[in-house]
Amino acid sequence: MYLELNNVSKSFPHEEHGAWEVFSDINLSIEEHNFVSILGPSGCGKSTLLAMIAGLESITSGEILLEDQPVAKPGPDRGMVFQQPALFPWLNVLENVKFPLKHLSKKDQVTTAKNYLQMVHLSRFTQSYPHELSGGMQQRVAIARALAMDPKVLLMDEPFGALDEQTRHILHDELLRIWSEDQKTILFVTHSISEAIKLSDRIIVMGTRPGRIIEDLSITLPRPRVRTDADVIAMEQHVMGLLEGEINKVLKEELQ
């Protein structure tokens, strides 16, 4: 399998209880070129799980393997896109995308950066600075920068969560177009059921307290997926039923 999580657990020190367990014994296998969303309520550990795959968070126990090689730290084989674009404000768009390409010649840095900026339709903004761009354009720069590294896996942590609905829909279509052209393996964390269904080949639904996988759904509906389609509605209702149970469980615990 391309990306594997074997009995992965994560806990943090806790003053009262000694340790706070985010999740334990997560087992997950991801095939190459798949678009997989991780969906769940707040507190289930989905962003922590993504950060561990990125090498930004340590593993308490278990192992994460990419092409049979252990993941222990950040590396160019994994590109990360965060909810906020995290661009360098003092660099222009071209320089931001070039930044992780220092292993290339200066000429190849420019060529590669321009190719990916063209892919996200920002060729006319190479000399612009982040503050001159809209939020959606900034996130497209961040996606271009991650793709320019040519990672084996693209990790996206709620990348469109801070955007308005119209911009989000536009970027959904952009991301699917890029994915169909580039065929990266994508892991995409989201709170949005409709977003996960629209984008994904597969949805990993996580529960909370403790964090765990409660369902692994294959999405075989043809693209493009329209939210008013009966099959899409049925899938959304099914996932909502799973998550409502988890949310109600948390609410009952807090009222006790």
Side-chain angles (χ1 to χ4, degrees), residues 12 14 25 46 58 71 91 94 109 123 137 143 150-151 153 161 164 168 212-215 224 248-251:
F12 294 104
H14 192 280
D25 297 326
K46 55 189 182 297
S58 62
V71 170
L91 299 180
L94 182 65
Q109 288 178 31
S123 295
M137 292 168 74
I143 292 169
D150 194 25
V153 179
D164 63 85
R168 202 158 56 238
R212 69 207 184 284
I213 296 172
I214 57 175
E215 192 149 346
N248 288 334
K249 180 179 72 174
V250 172
L251 291 174

Side-chain angles (χ1 to χ4, degrees), residues 206-219:
M206 292 188 68
T208 188
R209 297 191 182 181
R212 69 207 184 284
I213 296 172
I214 57 175
E215 192 149 346
D216 186 342
L217 297 169
S218 292
I219 312 297

Side-chain angles (χ1 to χ4, degrees), residues 5-250:
L5 283 72
N6 298 320
N7 300 313
V8 171
S9 299
K10 179 65 178 179
S11 59
F12 294 104
H14 192 280
E15 290 183 4
E16 295 180 9
H17 305 291
W20 174 57
E21 187 176 70
V22 183
F23 46 72
S24 64
D25 297 326
I26 296 290
N27 290 283
L28 184 61
S29 296
I30 306 293
E31 295 181 2
E32 189 176 10
H33 308 310
N34 270 15
F35 195 127
V36 179
S37 285
I38 303 173
L39 178 70
S42 296
C44 69
K46 55 189 182 297
S47 290
T48 301
L49 192 65
L50 203 71
M52 292 166 70
I53 297 169
L56 299 173
E57 280 281 357
S58 62
I59 302 168
T60 303
S61 63
E63 63 176 0
I64 298 175
L65 303 174
L66 178 56
E67 292 190 314
D68 296 323
Q69 297 301 310
V71 170
K73 60 183 180 180
D77 54 357
R78 284 148 290 136
M80 187 83 174
V81 180
F82 299 92
Q83 183 172 352
Q84 300 299 329
L87 302 177
F88 299 113
W90 59 89
L91 299 180
N92 65 33
V93 165
L94 182 65
E95 290 166 338
N96 264 284
V97 178
K98 281 171 47 184
F99 188 81
L101 305 178
K102 300 186 188 303
H103 60 289
L104 301 178
S105 69
K106 289 185 178 181
K107 181 180 178 180
D108 286 345
Q109 288 178 31
V110 172
T111 300
T112 301
K114 284 185 174 180
N115 285 342
Y116 282 98
L117 285 168
Q118 184 177 20
M119 182 179 282
V120 299
H121 301 309
L122 288 174
S123 295
R124 295 187 296 112
F125 297 90
T126 57
Q127 301 306 308
S128 300
Y129 285 83
H131 73 273
E132 299 173 318
L133 306 178
S134 68
M137 292 168 74
Q138 290 182 31
Q139 199 60 293
R140 281 152 64 192
V141 175
I143 292 169
R145 182 174 62 185
L147 289 171
M149 297 166 57
D150 194 25
K152 295 175 180 177
V153 179
L154 182 61
L155 305 168
M156 309 187 79
D157 190 5
E158 298 190 65
F160 309 138
L163 304 176
D164 63 85
E165 187 173 1
Q166 183 178 358
T167 302
R168 202 158 56 238
H169 283 306
I170 292 169
L171 290 185
H172 288 163
D173 293 339
E174 286 290 306
L175 181 59
L176 284 174
R177 178 186 58 79
I178 292 166
W179 173 72
S180 68
E181 293 175 7
D182 207 57
Q183 285 294 294
K184 291 294 180 195
T185 305
I186 296 180
L187 263 67
F188 187 99
V189 164
T190 179
H191 278 102
S192 170
I193 298 171
S194 60
E195 183 172 64
I197 293 171
K198 180 177 181 179
L199 295 175
S200 311
D201 296 315
R202 184 177 165 199
I203 300 175
I204 308 300
V205 184
M206 292 188 68
T208 188
R209 297 191 182 181
R212 69 207 184 284
I213 296 172
I214 57 175
E215 192 149 346
D216 186 342
L217 297 169
S218 292
I219 312 297
T220 58
L221 302 175
R223 294 181 174 96
R225 297 168 187 162
V226 180
R227 194 171 182 181
T228 54
D229 181 84
D231 290 333
V232 173
I233 291 171
M235 179 64 71
E236 189 164 343
Q237 289 175 338
H238 173 70
V239 177
M240 178 60 77
L242 294 171
L243 293 179
E244 278 182 347
E246 291 301 306
I247 293 167
N248 288 334
K249 180 179 72 174
V250 172

